Amino acid sequence: MMKLIRLTIFSLLFSISGLNAQSRVQITDPTATEVWSPVPRKVTPGEGTAAPSDAIVLFDGKSTDEWTHADGSSVKWTLDSQGAMTVTPKTGDIKTKRTFGDVQLHLEFRTPVVVKGEGQGRGNSGVFLQGIYEVQLLDSYNNRTYSNGQAAAIYKQSMPLVNACRPPGEWQTYDIVYKAPKFNKDGIKMESARITVIHNGVLVQNNTEILGTTPYIGLPENKAHGNGPIILQDHGDLLSFRNIWIREL
Ligand code: MG
């Protein structure tokens, strides 16, 4: 019964929202605007940056079972006793066996301790959402390159708001919230992908529109697609990764 009364008050309010404020129904009962249903489900947060209870752990430091190379072969990147996975150059990118749409993604990475190369040649890798859209991974600590290609850029599209890089050899975090693009049944993009990136606790992409693919050469393109894997790029540099988890949204 209370529910019905509340609903009526709400619909009254909305139906006369075109009128001036004085003529609106006055709500005096604070409970009239309380919403009790549905109830958000419980999630147990992880300690520190550990995975929360409803996350899919993509890399726990011990197993690469969630990953594969493009040809379906098992991961040839190296695992060490500290729980890090390091690119083995020329073995190729790795991708998740699972595919995803809207996600929250946490990953930790370390650019090479031994600094070599300049610009795009220093500590380059990348994390691709839906296997298509690259958030740049680069050693951008005292290493100038084009701004829309530095660490935490949406590659060749959107530079990060600030440079929050830690020095080479230190562990860093990306926390990404990603909303997949929407295509209609004719394959026309109706809504762009959106991405928020927090780099080492610092906001660097704030609900940024992703304009399309993130190619090295050329402009973004938009071809309809469904869910896709998370890809980590082998760009020939010895980047390491640890503690990767994802939540489907
Ligand atoms: Mg890259």
Side-chain angles (χ1 to χ4, degrees):
M1 189 58 187
M2 269 311 282
K3 241 184 199 169
L4 194 71
I5 293 168
R6 281 180 204 158
L7 264 177
T8 313
I9 292 172
F10 271 121
S11 45
L12 247 173
L13 256 178
F14 289 123
S15 64
I16 59 168
S17 60
L19 304 176
N20 66 37
Q22 281 86 353
S23 61
R24 285 188 188 181
V25 174
Q26 288 296 312
I27 299 177
T28 51
D29 176 8
T31 65
T33 45
E34 292 176 2
V35 177
W36 285 75
S37 176
V39 180
R41 70 190 153 80
K42 279 187 184 173
V43 171
T44 308
E47 282 296 321
T49 59
S53 58
D54 65 344
I56 297 166
V57 175
L58 294 177
F59 179 60
D60 64 358
K62 295 182 203 89
S63 160
T64 57
D65 283 358
E66 289 284 339
W67 301 82
T68 171
H69 287 285
D71 62 1
S73 63
S74 57
V75 172
K76 292 165 200 75
W77 295 10
T78 58
L79 284 182
D80 69 23
S81 56
Q82 315 295 311
M85 168 171 66
T86 302
V87 176
T88 304
K90 299 207 163 64
T91 58
D93 301 349
I94 60 169
K95 62 174 187 171
T96 54
K97 292 175 183 170
R98 302 179 203 237
T99 60
F100 304 97
D102 298 355
V103 292
Q104 174 188 353
L105 173 67
H106 172 88
L107 76 95
E108 301 181 18
F109 64 96
R110 185 178 60 191
T111 59
V113 193
V114 179
V115 174
K116 63 172 183 62
E118 292 299 327
Q120 294 290 311
R122 185 185 298 181
N124 196 333
S125 177
V127 52
F128 291 75
L129 283 305
Q130 296 196 290
I132 296 171
Y133 310 106
E134 182 181 12
V135 179
Q136 177 67 305
L137 279 165
L138 194 74
D139 177 3
S140 289
Y141 188 84
N142 296 334
N143 178 37
R144 191 78 188 103
T145 184
Y146 42 96
S147 301
N148 61 356
Q150 71 181 64
I154 309 309
Y155 187 69
K156 291 264 180 103
Q157 280 187 32
S158 178
M159 63 183 78
L161 295 168
V162 292
N163 180 343
C165 284
R166 293 193 198 281
E170 287 190 18
W171 284 102
Q172 309 194 46
T173 57
Y174 274 178
D175 286 283
I176 295 173
V177 178
Y178 173 77
K179 197 163 186 298
K182 289 196 172 71
F183 300 88
N184 72 8
K185 61 182 189 324
D186 298 321
I188 296 164
K189 190 172 80 169
M190 304 306 284
E191 232 178 89
S192 288
R194 292 265 170 189
I195 191 162
T196 295
V197 181
I198 295 173
H199 183 189
N200 298 325
V202 179
L203 182 70
V204 287
Q205 297 288 348
N206 185 6
N207 194 30
T208 302
E209 178 180 6
I210 299 180
L211 302 171
T213 56
T214 53
Y216 176 48
I217 300 170
L219 297 171
E221 288 177 5
N222 288 285
K223 238 191 248 159
H225 62 83
N227 285 357
I230 303 296
I231 294 180
L232 297 177
Q233 188 182 43
D234 168 12
H235 202 281
D237 293 327
L238 300 174
L239 263 88
S240 302
F241 296 89
R242 72 177 185 189
N243 189 24
I244 307 175
W245 51 260
I246 197 163
R247 295 181 63 242
E248 294 180 288
L249 302 176

